[in-house]
Amino acid sequence: MKPVDRHLADILATVRPLAPLEVEIEAALGAVLAEDVASPVPLPPFDNSAMDGYAVRAGDVAAVPVTLPVIGDVAAGDDGLNALGPGLVTRIMTGAPLPAGADAVVPVEWTDGGTARVRIDRPAPPGNAIRRAGEDVRAGDVVLREGARIGPAQIGILAGVGRRRVLVRPRPRVVVLSTGAELSEPGTPLGAGHIWESNSFMLAAAVREAGAEGFRAGSVTDDPKEFMDTLDAQLLRADAVITSGGVSMGAYEPVKEALSPLGTVTFEKVAMQPGMPQGFGVVGPDRVPIFTLPGNPVSSFVSFVLFVKPALRAMQGLPAGPPATVRATVTGPVRSPAGKRSYLRAVLTGETVAPVTGQGSHQLAALAAANALIVVPEDETSLPEGAEVEVIPL
Ligand code: AMP
Ligand code: MG
């Protein structure tokens, strides 16, 4: 059997980062930056008031109370060309440019709020309530680096440095297709011998959580031709494809039957539990990566975490490798088949980890109750309560 790490290495050696694309910043959410972004100007661009109050010369308000004439107003958006002489003050609003000559702002709360004359009750030291030009960003500073994931705050700073468009690696478009004659759409009645189809919903959601776009292509029966026709139709819009089911050792394995003759997809046994039967390769003229995951829901989920998620990171130009792990103490004994790496569903609380009841690869409710996977190495067949284990937080 093929080691888990080698299977991931093969996948990462095949997938390529998507080509960068210039998009409007509104469309950049979730994408990964493909350029360094610098600010053309300092931010703030000019000295301005941090509060509503009065721009003063600090020396004029050193001894209080003091009453001074108010020569006018400076509002946000004013051009900042006015100057302040000694012994005079001007009302100033938050974000308004500091008049030349002023070196402090007295908050309105420290005054009687006067408009012709104002009584100031507290001294304001030089620099008080002033936001200096460049104190957030200096001109030419890189504010975001290539490889940064673009969230709302990153879109904010892109706009804040005046950018309208930005070069990104787009979110990979991933089509998820389930196979199985026994599958019924949720929301429709359950026929005899049927189960409700869950993998495509779960995997499409996992794709989205991984920063890509997940599209459910629904499910097809176990007819290889129907599978291939659906796959062909979906390839147009896919940067990657995930299928579930139809890759094990039985009869009626449409994915294996349809893709094996192409010679570009390899079906292998990977030394892991759950999720032993795995397939990976490329399909179509654009050589779109395809992950053919086993059908058991827990197997397909664990396969996604171990293989697809790192591949989606690589496609976004991000560093990619095995999932991050933490160490924890297991609260009860665990078992694992010899020669396979096990991924046991578990609840991680602080530094302890408790396996959940129901470790079958069909036991989706147990997966839904878990928040972590305990990793048991290939050469261990059991670990006692209290053992230190490696854990993948989900
Ligand atoms: P297969 O890999 O096709 O042999 O399927 C293995 C097991 O997983 C079978 O019990 C299937 O019924 C189940 N299974 C396959 N695909 C799905 C799916 N999309 N949703 C829920 N269960 C599935
Ligand atoms: Mg099947």
Side-chain angles (χ1 to χ4, degrees), residues 179-182 222 244-248 252-254 295:
T179 66
E182 74 281 27
D222 288 326
S244 87
V247 294
S248 9
Y252 311 105
E253 306 288 8

Side-chain angles (χ1 to χ4, degrees), residues 178-179 182-183 195-199 244-246 248 253 294-297:
S178 289
T179 66
E182 74 281 27
L183 303 176
I195 58 173
W196 279 303
E197 200 277 303
S198 55
N199 290 352
S244 87
S248 9
E253 306 288 8
N296 271 307

Side-chain angles (χ1 to χ4, degrees), residues 28-80:
L29 183 67
V32 173
L33 205 56
E35 60 169 327
D36 288 345
V37 173
S39 180
V41 298
L43 293 184
F46 49 88
D47 291 353
N48 68 92
S49 180
M51 301 188 78
D52 295 328
Y54 297 83
V56 302
R57 292 171 176 254
D60 292 341
V61 300
V64 290
V66 61
T67 299
L68 297 169
V70 180
I71 58 164
D73 282 356
V74 198
D78 284 356
D79 59 18

Side-chain angles (χ1 to χ4, degrees), residues 3 10 23 50 95-96 101 110 132 170 186 207-208 239 257 263 269 300 313 320 329 345:
D10 285 349
V23 298
W110 299 1
R132 292 292 175 193
V207 164
R208 279 179 228 126
D239 297 310
E257 285 172 43
K269 287 185 182 174
S300 70
R313 284 184 60 86
T329 305
R345 279 67 72 203

Side-chain angles (χ1 to χ4, degrees), residues 237-314:
R237 64 164 177 178
D239 297 310
V241 175
I242 303 172
T243 67
S244 87
V247 294
S248 9
M249 309 307 143
Y252 311 105
E253 306 288 8
V255 178
K256 219 175 182 176
E257 285 172 43
L259 298 180
S260 290
L262 302 181
T264 56
V265 183
T266 309
F267 295 92
E268 290 169 293
K269 287 185 182 174
V270 175
M272 60 190 276
Q273 188 175 70
M276 182 183 66
Q278 295 287 336
F280 173 72
V282 294
V283 283
D286 294 332
R287 301 181 62 78
V288 173
I290 185 166
F291 303 83
T292 67
L293 308 184
N296 271 307
V298 181
S299 308
S300 70
F301 181 83
V302 170
S303 306
F304 180 91
V305 171
L306 298 182
F307 305 126
V308 186
K309 199 172 171 189
L312 294 178
R313 284 184 60 86

Side-chain angles (χ1 to χ4, degrees), residues 38-45 133-143 161:
S39 180
V41 298
L43 293 184
E135 72 179 19
D136 188 14
V137 177
R138 289 164 308 175
D141 274 357
V142 171
V143 293
V161 301

